[in-house]
Amino acid sequence: MIVRVQRDPFDPWQELAAAGKRLAAAGAHGATAVFVGSLRDYNQGQPVSAMTLEHYPGMTEAHLEKVGREAAARWPILDALVVHRYGALTPGEPIVLVAVWSAHRDAAFAACRYIIDELKTRAPFWKRERTAAGARWATPED
Amino acid sequence: MIVRVQRDPFDPWQELAAAGKRLAAAGAHGATAVFVGSLRDYNQGQPVSAMTLEHYPGMTEAHLEKVGREAAARWPILDALVVHRYGALTPGEPIVLVAVWSAHRDAAFAACRYIIDELKTRAPFWKRERTAAGARWATPED
Amino acid sequence: MTPITVRFFASIREDLGKDEEHIDSQGIATAADVWERVAGRPLPARTLVAVNQQYASPGHPVKAGDEVAFFPPVTGGELP
Amino acid sequence: MTPITVRFFASIREDLGKDEEHIDSQGIATAADVWERVAGRPLPARTLVAVNQQYASPGHPVKAGDEVAFFPPVTGGELP
């Protein structure tokens, strides 16, 4: 399982192409489930021009790895990849990528969903949005 | 929404990179959910050396488009892409790609899952597997 | 008269040894009638039926010019 | 004596005007004690607490050398 928290932009499809090459037994995984979250250009009726993501270096990575281990304990998955940005983002850019490889569709979907849900509710990241009305901290209700 | 049923191999990540560029308003979709199904090298304890996928030209495409329209009617999705192979496949090759773009995670996951589930239970495709024990038609219980 | 086009797929195509047949619509009222004409026996359980490329029940009406297809349960997507 | 490291993130960092502080562990038993020492008021509702980079309750024991962090509800991933 690979977890990366990084300032640099990433291309989710290049990440997945590279990860597929790394997976030793390509024929073992019948199912790959992927979620990509991007920065929308609107939130709560306001155009969003930019966003900054703060995190807790060390704890954020450790928490994502824990969520990945939990998913691997609950479902028969072969591998998982989580990439999450921090720092400055512009609309349209990917924020988060979660990918799960499994022999089976059910496990791949369930584990992928579990990781992104846990990430959103528990991983220490905070968004500060810049809109025409000024900067504001996003809330979990956004 | 794009539906393609094709004999040629495809690279799911290249398809998604190209689809992302086509989506006019990149900032509108906060969520992309993707499923890729590949040919496993084992089924029911037998190594699978190759597979042939038969389909019903015309009906297969029409059925996939109907499933896509059903998903778009049930969930607020922005776009969807379905690519499915037919003909000869070798282990490790992608068989099917389903991608759904939405403003929201719930809709993207639900619609992606709906499309692949409906595809598997209703779209007219039939797999013939070649194993050391000979060729056999796959069954839905596989 | 315009015939009825009958198509067979996968294991049913192999069992019958043909992939397509054209039959006279005389005496044919339903998809099940089409099957009995081409196969000489009742429609096996679990066989799927399409009329004009849409799923239909064996009792679905069939008329001259229609395309009727018979095939086993489908197995698309990944394994399983 | 080894101090306790206290860290603040996001809106709490902005409200307090600091991101990190080191305090003497004398008189500190729990994470809530740490907050009252550094902020001079009770821990606001919904504030999250981590001790040594793991989520903890406000009543979690804290000792010299620990890292204690306070931050608002998290908002990672896509919107919303």
Side-chain angles (χ1 to χ4, degrees), chain D:
Chain D
M1 282 237 327
T2 318
I4 293 165
T5 299
V6 196
R7 302 181 68 174
F8 312 102
F9 292 94
S11 56
I12 289 179
R13 174 177 54 72
E14 285 194 343
D15 291 347
L16 295 181
K18 53 191 171 191
D19 61 1
E20 187 168 326
E21 193 169 348
H22 298 269
I23 63 167
D24 187 344
S25 61
Q26 195 81 31
I28 298 287
T30 68
D33 294 341
V34 172
W35 173 265
E36 295 195 20
R37 171 86 60 87
V38 298
R41 52 186 166 92
L43 189 67
R46 301 189 69 195
T47 301
L48 297 172
V49 180
V51 175
N52 296 329
Q53 305 199 354
Q54 302 220 23
Y55 281 104
S57 65
H60 194 281
V62 169
K63 61 184 190 311
D66 282 350
E67 175 174 306
V68 183
F70 300 96
F71 45 81
V74 304
T75 57
E78 90 292 4
L79 286 170

Side-chain angles (χ1 to χ4, degrees), chain C residues 22-67:
Chain C
H22 297 269
I23 63 167
D24 187 343
S25 61
Q26 195 82 29
I28 297 288
T30 67
D33 295 341
V34 172
W35 174 265
E36 295 197 20
R37 173 84 60 87
V38 298
R41 52 187 167 93
L43 189 66
R46 301 190 69 197
T47 300
L48 297 173
V49 180
V51 175
N52 297 327
Q53 305 199 353
Q54 303 219 24
Y55 281 106
S57 64
H60 194 281
V62 168
K63 60 182 192 312
D66 282 349
E67 175 174 306

Side-chain angles (χ1 to χ4, degrees), chain A residues 56-100:
Chain A
Y56 186 165
M59 178 168 173
T60 303
E61 292 82 349
H63 188 77
L64 294 177
E65 279 160 14
K66 176 168 167 282
V67 170
R69 285 194 305 272
E70 287 167 3
R74 284 181 61 169
W75 293 282
I77 69 179
L78 295 164
D79 209 343
L81 169 67
V82 180
V83 183
H84 202 296
R85 294 278 301 280
Y86 68 91
L89 283 97
T90 52
E93 286 188 337
I95 301 173
V96 59
L97 162 66
V98 177
V100 173

Side-chain angles (χ1 to χ4, degrees), chain A residues 85-128:
Chain A
R85 294 278 301 280
Y86 68 91
L89 283 97
T90 52
E93 286 188 337
I95 301 173
V96 59
L97 162 66
V98 177
V100 173
W101 290 265
S102 175
H104 301 288
R105 179 164 93 260
D106 281 340
F109 267 108
C112 185
R113 184 70 204 245
Y114 177 81
I115 292 171
I116 183 64
D117 286 354
E118 286 295 305
L119 182 159
K120 282 191 68 89
T121 52
R122 303 276 294 165
F125 285 107
W126 303 275
K127 288 195 189 80
R128 189 164 174 79

